[in-house]
Amino acid sequence: MSRNEAAQAELDIFKLCCRMLELRRRTFLAAEWKRHADIMPRGQFFNLMLIRFILPCNLSKIMELTGLTSAGASLFVDKLVQQGYLTRTDDPADRRNVLIDVSAKGRELLSGVEDRLNGYIASYFATCSAEEFSDLEKGMQVIYRKLS
C-alpha cells in the first residue's frame, strides 16, 4: 500500500468515526427528547442542545450554529425565554447587543441531559482495557485540538 493510499485509509476511518459519533449523538438526543416531549417541541430541544456550549451569546451566534433565520432564531429564543429556560440581558460591553444565556431552570434541564449523556458515552468504553482507553484519550486530544 502506498503512502497516499495509507493516508486515505486513515482519513476514511476518521470520517467513518465522525459519522458514527454523530449518529450516536442524534440517537441519544432523539431518545432524550422523548423524556422532555411534554415541555418542548423536538426542534427547540435539538437547538437548545446545539447552543448549550456557546451560551452566553447573541442571536447572530445562535443563527450561525443552528442555521435558523433571524426570525426563526428570535422565535426560538422568545419561546425558551417564555418557558424559563433562557434569559435575555443587555450586553454591558455593547448596548446594541443582547446576550442570551441559560437560566437556572435551563441549567437544571441541561445538567440532567449532560449526566445521562456522560453515562451513555461511558457505556461504550466500559470494556476498554487501560491501554485502549489511553490510546483513545490521546487520539481524542489530537482531534479536539484540531477541531477547536
Side-chain angles (χ1 to χ4, degrees), residues 53-104:
F53 295 118
I54 64 165
L55 296 173
C57 68
N58 62 21
L59 202 57
S60 294
K61 277 297 213 188
I62 291 175
M63 291 167 50
E64 180 182 318
L65 191 59
T66 62
L68 293 169
T69 63
S70 177
S74 186
L75 185 61
F76 161 68
V77 169
D78 286 347
K79 297 268 185 188
L80 292 182
V81 166
Q82 289 169 5
Q83 294 173 346
Y85 295 103
L86 296 177
T87 62
R88 277 190 160 135
T89 56
D90 292 334
D91 184 349
D94 181 356
R95 37 187 211 116
R96 296 168 295 168
N97 196 25
V98 174
L99 290 177
I100 296 138
D101 202 357
V102 65
S103 67

Side-chain angles (χ1 to χ4, degrees), residues 119-133:
Y120 178 76
I121 292 168
S123 72
Y124 280 97
F125 302 105
T127 59
C128 287
S129 68
E131 184 180 338
E132 287 174 321
F133 196 78

Side-chain angles (χ1 to χ4, degrees), residues 117-148:
L117 178 58
N118 289 340
Y120 178 76
I121 292 168
S123 72
Y124 280 97
F125 302 105
T127 59
C128 287
S129 68
E131 184 180 338
E132 287 174 321
F133 196 78
S134 177
D135 290 345
L136 279 169
E137 183 180 20
K138 288 174 189 169
M140 288 298 155
Q141 287 174 358
V142 171
I143 292 168
Y144 181 78
R145 212 174 36 249
K146 295 295 182 181
L147 295 178
S148 289

